[in-house]
Amino acid sequence: MQLIEISDLVVDHDPGTRARLPVRGADVVARLVAAGDRSGARIAAGLACDDDGNLDPLAVDRRLVAVHTELQRLSEELRLGDRIAELLRPLVAVIRAAGRTDGPLRVVDVGCGLGYLVRWLASSGALGADVDLVGVDFNAALVTEAGRLAREEGLPCRFVRGDAFALDEPATVYVSTGVLHHFRGDDLDAFFAAQATPGTAAFCHFDIAATGLAPIGAWVFHRARMRDPLGRHDGVMSARRAHDDETLLAAAAHADGLTPLVYEPRGRSNPFCTTLRPVIGVRPDLLPPLRAELGPGPSGRLVGRADTVGGTPQGASAGEGAG
C-alpha cells in the first residue's frame, strides 16, 4: 500500500503565486483508494464539499487547526520542547560564541503548523533573548492561528506564510518537527540543498525515528490520545513513512558546506514510542565546540556517515574526536 497522509491531499497551492487552488473531494478519495488505503478514503469521503464537488476550504482549515491543536497537546505531554531544546541550546551557544552572524541569530521553523516549537522557545527563553524566532508555513490558516496564539500569550516571536528558504532575512539555524517524512527522493535532497546558504550555520530537523515498532506505538498512542480520525490516520502514517538514518544522512549531504549527523540521546530509545530523533547539519568548524558543549558519552552521540568529510564515524560519541 502506498503511504499517504490525508492532510497532504486536502490543500493545494499554485507554486508560483501561492494562491489556494480548489481540490475536488472525489479526487482525494480516489487517490486514497488507488493507494489501497480504504480507511483513509472513508475519512476523506466525510469531508465537506461545495456544490461543485470541491472541498470546502473553510471546513478543511477548521479541521486542520483542530488536528494540529490535538498534536500540540501531545507535544506538551511528551515534553517535546524540552527535548528539542536539549540540542538547540548547545547548538545556538557554539554559533553565538563563534560570532557567525552580523545581525540577530535567527532560528526559522520550517513547516511550523500552529507554531508550538517557536512559541515554546519564546515562552521558555531557552535560547536567549538575542535569538529571533520565526515560524514559516505555506498553510495560511495554521500561520494565522499561530500568530493569534503568540499575541494572546504575549510571546516575542513571529509567523510568516510562505517559503522558509526564500525569506528576506536569512536563517542562522533551520529547524523543523515532523516535516522530513513528507519528502521523498529528489524532493528530500532538494529540501536539504536549499539550506546551504552563506548565512546558514546549521540545521536541526526532528522527525520520527524509523524503528520497526514505531507504527504500532503510534497506533496505540494516537488511538488513546487523539479524537479526530484524520489526525489518528495521519499520525500512524507519519510513523510508517519515517526515513531511516542512512536515508536522512545521504539526503542531508546535499547541503553543501554543512556536515550531516544524527544525534541520538542516550536513554531515550524506546521502540514502542514514536520518538523524534534529529538529523543535524553544522559548519565543520563548529563540530569540535559542539561536541564539547554536548559533553562526553552519557549525553548522547553524534552519528555520521563514514564517507562524510568532517563527519563523525558511525557510533562515535558526542565527546569523541572526528575521524
Side-chain angles (χ1 to χ4, degrees):
M1 182 177 77
Q2 185 182 2
L3 305 177
I4 302 174
E5 293 179 52
I6 300 169
S7 56
D8 286 342
L9 303 179
V10 296
V11 178
D12 193 18
H13 297 96
D14 183 283
T17 66
R18 299 175 192 161
R20 189 159 181 171
L21 301 174
V23 176
R24 292 190 58 79
D27 291 344
V28 175
V29 173
R31 177 83 180 273
L32 291 162
V33 169
D37 186 358
R38 296 194 173 276
S39 173
R42 286 193 294 273
I43 296 170
L47 297 175
C49 293
D50 61 22
D51 293 339
D52 295 324
N54 296 320
L55 293 178
D56 181 340
L58 293 179
V60 167
D61 288 347
R62 287 194 296 269
R63 190 72 173 269
L64 291 179
V65 169
V67 168
H68 278 259
T69 301
E70 288 195 321
L71 287 173
Q72 175 174 307
R73 288 200 295 269
L74 295 185
S75 297
E76 292 167 347
E77 290 181 8
L78 293 173
R79 298 186 65 188
L80 291 184
D82 291 293
R83 296 185 179 196
I84 292 168
E86 285 181 7
L87 182 53
L88 279 183
R89 191 180 293 112
L91 184 59
V92 166
V94 299
I95 295 170
R96 183 185 291 116
R100 296 194 65 97
T101 59
D102 295 330
L105 197 160
R106 185 169 293 108
V107 174
V108 173
D109 185 4
V110 184
C112 66
L114 291 184
Y116 171 75
L117 175 59
V118 168
R119 290 187 289 112
W120 187 94
L121 292 171
S123 176
S124 67
L127 303 184
D130 62 327
V131 176
D132 184 19
L133 297 167
V134 185
V136 185
D137 202 295
F138 278 115
N139 189 292
L142 296 178
V143 167
T144 298
E145 181 65 5
R148 185 191 70 79
L149 291 169
R151 289 190 298 274
E152 187 176 275
E153 297 160 0
L155 298 175
C157 57
R158 54 197 173 95
F159 296 92
V160 178
R161 183 200 175 204
D163 183 351
F165 306 134
L167 300 177
D168 292 335
E169 301 168 311
T172 313
V173 181
Y174 287 105
V175 300
S176 71
T177 56
V179 168
L180 295 180
H181 66 267
H182 290 279
F183 296 95
R184 286 288 185 278
D186 292 342
D187 290 337
L188 185 63
D189 296 343
F191 174 86
F192 284 105
Q195 298 170 64
T197 61
T200 304
F203 58 74
C204 190
H205 299 291
F206 293 78
D207 209 349
I208 298 168
T211 66
L213 294 177
I216 299 173
W219 186 88
V220 172
F221 194 72
H222 283 80
R223 290 291 298 183
R225 305 305 298 159
M226 295 193 74
R227 299 176 182 177
D228 194 299
L230 191 156
R232 289 176 172 176
H233 173 277
D234 283 7
V236 175
M237 282 295 171
S238 295
R240 296 181 66 185
R241 297 173 72 191
H243 298 294
D244 60 36
D245 291 352
E246 188 59 29
T247 298
L248 290 176
L249 288 169
H254 287 79
D256 292 338
L258 294 158
T259 300
L261 300 159
V262 171
Y263 180 67
E264 186 174 287
R266 298 194 188 282
R268 289 280 172 81
S269 297
N270 184 337
F272 286 100
C273 295
T274 54
T275 303
L276 293 182
R277 185 162 66 212
V279 58
I280 70 173
V282 295
R283 297 293 176 185
D285 63 292
L286 297 177
L287 276 174
L290 178 59
R291 291 192 181 96
E293 283 284 334
L294 290 172
S299 65
R301 54 184 193 152
L302 291 170
V303 182
R305 300 172 67 196
D307 61 344
T308 299
V309 176
T312 306
Q314 279 283 351
S317 73
E320 295 172 354

